[in-house]
Amino acid sequence: MIPIAKPQIGQEEIDGVISVLRSGTIAEGPKVKEFEEAFAKYVGVSHAIAVNSGTAALHVALLAKGIGRGDEVITTPFTFIATANSILFTGAKPIFADIDETTYNIDTNDLQKKITKKTKAIIPVDLYGHPAEMGAIMDIARDRGLEVIEDACQAHGAEYAGKKAGSFDVGCFSFYPTKNMTTSEGGMITTDDKGLVEKAMALRSHGSKVRYYHETLGFNLRMTDIGAAIGLAQLKKVDVFTEKRIMNAGYLNEMLGDIPGIVTPVTQPGCKHVFHQYTIRVTEEYGMSRDNLVKKLNAAGVSTGVYYPLPVHKQPYYLSLGYDESHPVAERISGQVLSLPVHPSLSSGDLGLISRTIGGF
Ligand SMILES: Cc1ncc(COP(=O)(O)O)c(C=O)c1O
């Protein structure tokens, strides 16, 4: 079976982990600091704060920006649940704006309509590795005095107008094993804001700057040196992984682009899409059904994924909170999207099998 995702673990990662295990410092230590410095340099910001997941990165970034009870934070409903949940964790209220039909990222026109006196921040998501419309979003935020916390959990190395994802205001990354680079579990906050760094570092470690002196309420959200050693090895290779993903996506676009009823992914001008996911849409126009295509691909030995079958505002928990507004584009698109394998380990035979199976369908 061709897997939908495959972590790219080589000898460098194995050697890095063994050397940490031998060092005796296996929780947060010098490797975490080294990884933070290297990742900040990669993104093009002055600071990076490592945490133990992308969810933790979002949670800490929001708290460090002073978001809490009584505040509203606007985000997309077409994302992994962690984006919206991180807002709930702070006591603030997630407000959803609908998505753009082409990129599946937040629609900046709808976003502007959702701004109220209570709005404090925007969380755009770089879905599937395609950057959100960061230029327009930063302009809106500047005009309306809002914070921007970019959920770049799927977008390591993505670019908008020559600037890397995570370098606009505050960026949050995930290093979960299916992501374009991994630390096993792990996350990172990136920023140029020195004030935010101190707050975030305290929040990840029980509110203390000096050990056993606790000035604020914090958590244990630290990354381990074991994870950081994996991350350091991965960071050296992530651009090569990405090039392979872009090539695979280009091949699939060429093979699938003319099939009626299939909509292939688009990269907007001035953007670098890093294809965390290669996601087509199966429209019903020609009697095609996503479920039948999934069955056909699975039978041919190809794994697929649906990210995400239910927008956040339709999730049972959010319905129980009273969310009843409709976001028609997100609702329609979630019924059509289908992600195909695009990871760097695919062979030309794998790519041929995927496109032939869809072509035959
Ligand atoms: C868009 C998005 N936001 C947040 C997260 C949360 O990251 P993690 O799973 O590392 O907590 C993910 C990871 O799946 C994600 O894809």
Side-chain angles (χ1 to χ4, degrees):
M1 197 83 170
I2 303 170
I4 181 74
K6 188 160 191 265
Q8 308 291 303
I9 300 298
Q11 195 57 45
E12 298 81 1
E13 286 78 359
I14 294 166
D15 291 346
V17 169
I18 289 172
S19 102
V20 168
L21 292 175
R22 291 213 166 107
S23 77
T25 307
I26 58 173
E28 187 190 270
K31 284 284 164 201
V32 169
K33 191 156 191 326
E34 200 182 323
F35 183 41
E36 288 174 335
E37 286 169 5
F39 198 78
K41 199 165 165 215
Y42 178 74
V43 170
V45 292
S46 48
H47 301 285
I49 306 108
V51 286
N52 60 11
S53 70
T55 309
L58 289 161
H59 183 193
V60 166
L62 283 161
L63 289 176
K65 282 281 196 187
I67 311 293
R69 202 164 296 284
D71 296 336
E72 291 180 354
V73 179
I74 304 175
T75 191
T76 162
F78 195 49
T79 180
F80 182 54
I81 194 89
T83 313
N85 282 356
S86 66
I87 302 168
L88 290 179
F89 297 162
T90 69
K93 183 173 184 199
I95 300 291
F96 299 109
D98 210 344
I99 59 166
D100 175 79
E101 168 119 36
T102 313
T103 62
Y104 318 134
N105 284 326
I106 196 163
D107 174 342
T108 51
N109 290 322
D110 202 34
L111 158 59
Q112 291 187 74
K113 290 184 199 148
K114 297 289 154 57
I115 298 173
T116 70
K117 283 199 184 108
K118 291 183 179 172
T119 309
K120 287 282 157 33
I122 307 166
I123 307 189
V125 177
D126 305 323
L127 196 74
Y128 305 145
H130 190 298
E133 237 187 276
M134 292 309 294
I137 291 167
M138 293 308 294
D139 287 345
I140 296 166
R142 216 170 289 119
D143 288 351
R144 308 296 295 259
L146 306 175
E147 310 286 355
V148 177
I149 292 154
E150 181 184 1
D151 182 338
C153 283
Q154 303 187 357
H156 317 72
E159 289 177 21
Y160 179 93
K163 260 172 85 72
K164 282 234 168 80
S167 69
F168 291 86
D169 182 352
V170 177
C172 294
F173 292 85
S174 165
F175 301 119
Y176 187 72
T178 55
K179 298 293 192 281
N180 290 22
M181 60 172 286
T182 187
T183 59
S184 73
E185 295 276 6
M188 193 74 85
I189 302 165
T190 52
T191 186
D192 283 318
D193 178 350
K194 178 92 178 66
L196 185 127
V197 178
E198 283 192 5
K199 286 184 193 147
M201 284 174 73
L203 281 161
R204 78 172 169 190
S205 203
H206 287 297
S208 78
K209 288 182 195 150
V210 177
R211 213 163 185 198
Y212 304 124
Y213 288 86
H214 307 277
E215 294 168 28
T216 52
L217 184 65
F219 311 87
N220 175 359
L221 301 172
R222 295 183 296 264
M223 182 181 275
T224 66
D225 262 24
I226 299 170
I230 302 172
L232 277 163
Q234 292 267 293
L235 189 57
K236 294 199 178 102
K237 307 179 196 173
V238 70
D239 284 342
V240 177
F241 296 158
T242 301
E243 284 317 307
K244 191 82 203 301
R245 285 176 181 274
I246 293 171
M247 264 172 53
N248 292 344
Y251 175 89
L252 290 171
N253 268 359
E254 211 167 289
M255 301 309 285
L256 308 178
D258 293 333
I259 301 178
I262 300 279
V263 181
T264 51
V266 172
T267 303
Q268 291 296 95
C271 290
K272 180 171 181 183
H273 187 336
V274 293
F275 289 99
H276 167 57
Q277 297 295 346
Y278 178 88
T279 304
I280 58 170
R281 273 199 288 135
V282 186
T283 65
E284 307 261 313
E285 289 163 69
Y286 297 88
M288 310 254 279
S289 133
R290 178 175 69 186
D291 289 351
N292 286 342
L293 181 56
V294 168
K295 281 189 201 131
K296 183 105 197 262
L297 282 161
N298 291 172
V302 180
S303 301
T304 57
V306 173
Y307 313 107
Y308 298 90
L310 208 53
V312 178
H313 65 288
K314 291 282 183 191
Q315 294 289 344
Y317 182 62
Y318 281 76
L319 293 178
S320 81
L321 296 179
Y323 282 83
D324 59 4
E325 216 185 15
S326 162
H327 303 288
V329 185
E331 284 157 30
R332 178 163 46 83
I333 301 272
S334 64
Q336 299 178 334
V337 285
L338 181 65
S339 297
L340 307 171
V342 72
H343 54 78
S345 309
L346 294 179
S347 66
S348 49
D350 295 335
L351 288 163
L353 176 66
I354 297 166
S355 48
R356 270 196 316 280
T357 309
I358 299 175
F361 184 72

